[in-house]
Amino acid sequence: MPLNLPKNLPAIDLLKKEHIFVMDSLRASEQDIRPLRVVILNLMPLKIKTETDLTRLLSNSPLQVEVDFMKIRDHQSKHTPMEHMEAFYKNFDEIKNLYYDGMIVTGAPVEQMPFEEVTYWEELKRIFDWGRTHVTSSVYICWAAQAGLHHFYGIPKYDLPAKKFGVFKHGVHDPYLPIFRGFDDEFYVPHSRHTEIRREDILQTPGLTLLSESEEAGVYMVMARGGREFFITGHSEYAPNTLHDEYVRDVNKGAPITPPVNYYPHDDPSQPPLMRWRSHANMLFVNWLNYYVYQETPYRIEDVRCLGNLTQNR
């Protein structure tokens, strides 16, 4: 089944070039089926790129998915045209009375700031709390994962001595959980961050389950409320060249940076990077949509407010 995206969203043409089946809202309205409704709070600077990365992965499900994009009300994007934001993004106040089957919150380039000093922290907390009563299952990515764990559970983040930058090998603690269905015993995930959360804080906090980690990159995936919340520290959604673009950007800025590890053949930045995480990324989002959204969400979407913890994984 196709992904239902807002008409004229730039990602549509980009995904069609990759032979990914997408449809705009006009054509989707002609199908007599209730699509899953997913809202994406996009905090990344390059919003069109992130839109394409995430919709590419959501499109691999056989389910029809309708996507809304949300923005922070008073935060002006410096890297995305205002016309794009006005055409495709909604403020929280515009959707706060709606209900969604799924929500994705992206990372943001504010990870080295204390949470409380982020200019939109208060609004973000309201959105996080709203998600618990208006969304069946939510995925928090990178800085958003740290922010969500801090807000809901008081988990601290810690500065790293050097940027965790590259593609790292991970394992799973319970391979029989539906979120890991189809995964290999070991899989790769890109990371690009200056801070971390620590396993000992997760393990000693009631309500949190550590699902996956890496010897090199540390905590990767944490689950709460039976799968109503996933906190993911890496960037499984990254396109093949994203780490390369970040590396070139930092080199041109004169920032202290080393090439991303396990990314270029022979660690040679002059070589095209190797894409090691595509299969894992596709399975991650397909499993989330199927087992934690589609199979758990009520048909009357507003009944999501009555859900407790999900039962799929007990």
Side-chain angles (χ1 to χ4, degrees):
M1 292 293 289
L3 192 68
N4 174 8
L5 297 175
K7 187 178 175 69
N8 297 324
L9 186 76
I12 293 177
D13 288 336
L14 295 171
L15 294 176
K16 284 183 176 179
K17 291 177 181 177
E18 299 178 25
H19 304 288
I20 292 175
F21 185 19
V22 296
M23 65 167 63
D24 63 31
S25 54
L26 178 62
R27 181 178 174 190
S29 66
E30 299 172 355
Q31 294 190 331
D32 186 18
I33 185 173
R34 173 167 110 60
L36 295 178
R37 300 190 64 193
V38 174
V39 60
I40 299 175
L41 175 56
N42 188 358
L43 303 174
M44 293 289 275
L46 302 177
K47 298 195 183 301
I48 295 175
K49 181 177 179 59
T50 302
E51 293 160 12
T52 306
D53 289 344
L54 288 171
T55 54
R56 178 186 294 113
L57 294 172
L58 294 174
S59 72
N60 283 307
S61 170
L63 307 166
Q64 186 185 135
V65 181
E66 180 181 292
V67 177
D68 284 338
F69 293 99
M70 178 169 36
K71 62 182 177 179
I72 296 295
R73 182 183 57 201
D74 296 325
H75 185 72
Q76 181 66 46
S77 177
K78 299 178 182 177
H79 303 280
T80 305
M82 184 179 299
E83 295 79 10
H84 181 89
M85 301 300 295
E86 291 176 350
F88 301 114
Y89 280 74
K90 300 176 182 179
N91 293 321
F92 175 54
D93 287 342
E94 298 178 72
I95 69 168
K96 65 182 181 182
N97 294 322
L98 302 179
Y99 295 87
Y100 288 89
D101 303 293
M103 177 170 72
I104 299 171
V105 186
T106 74
V110 294
E111 61 170 316
Q112 292 179 286
M113 299 173 60
F115 294 114
E116 292 74 15
E117 292 183 12
V118 175
T119 57
Y120 48 82
W121 179 243
E122 292 303 318
E123 182 175 0
L124 193 63
K125 290 194 299 181
R126 289 195 294 273
I127 294 171
F128 285 176
D129 291 339
W130 167 86
R132 285 198 154 184
T133 58
H134 288 71
V135 179
T136 300
S137 182
S138 299
V139 172
Y140 299 85
I141 297 173
C142 198
W143 179 79
Q146 297 179 346
L149 287 168
H150 175 73
H151 173 59
F152 292 128
Y153 298 97
I155 300 295
K157 63 182 173 75
Y158 303 89
D159 290 333
L160 290 167
K163 184 177 183 179
K164 188 66 64 179
F165 193 39
V167 183
F168 301 95
K169 185 166 60 178
H170 296 66
V172 302
H173 293 313
D174 185 352
Y176 296 104
L177 278 180
I179 195 67
F180 296 128
R181 193 150 295 169
F183 274 43
D184 292 325
D185 294 338
E186 295 178 337
F187 59 93
Y188 288 88
V189 180
H191 287 259
S192 176
R193 50 186 167 82
H194 295 273
T195 57
E196 67 175 356
I197 55 176
R198 294 179 179 169
R199 74 186 314 269
E200 55 266 28
D201 293 327
I202 301 300
L203 295 177
Q204 67 186 11
T205 301
L208 296 179
T209 304
L210 178 59
L211 298 185
S212 175
E213 57 188 322
S214 163
E215 290 185 5
E216 296 177 277
V219 173
Y220 167 60
M221 188 189 302
V222 178
M223 182 176 72
R225 304 169 71 217
R228 291 198 68 185
E229 292 160 349
F230 289 95
F231 304 94
I232 297 175
T233 66
H235 282 288
S236 304
E237 81 283 3
Y238 267 8
N241 288 322
T242 302
L243 290 179
H244 173 76
D245 294 341
E246 291 184 5
Y247 174 64
V248 171
R249 176 201 65 197
D250 289 349
V251 168
N252 290 338
K253 289 166 54 178
I257 189 68
T258 57
V261 300
N262 303 322
Y263 182 57
Y264 301 110
H266 311 294
D267 292 324
D268 179 2
S270 68
Q271 300 294 315
L274 292 173
M275 179 64 165
R276 301 174 185 264
W277 62 95
R278 182 182 290 110
S279 297
H280 149 70
N282 286 327
M283 290 304 305
L284 173 66
F285 282 87
V286 166
N287 288 344
W288 173 65
L289 280 175
N290 185 17
Y291 298 111
Y292 298 88
V293 180
Y294 172 68
Q295 293 193 28
E296 298 285 355
T297 200
Y299 184 81
R300 280 174 31 94
I301 194 169
E302 59 270 24
D303 290 343
V304 71
R305 64 184 180 272
C306 301
L307 287 179
N309 294 352
L310 297 188
T311 59
Q312 178 73 35
N313 309 299
R314 290 177 180 171

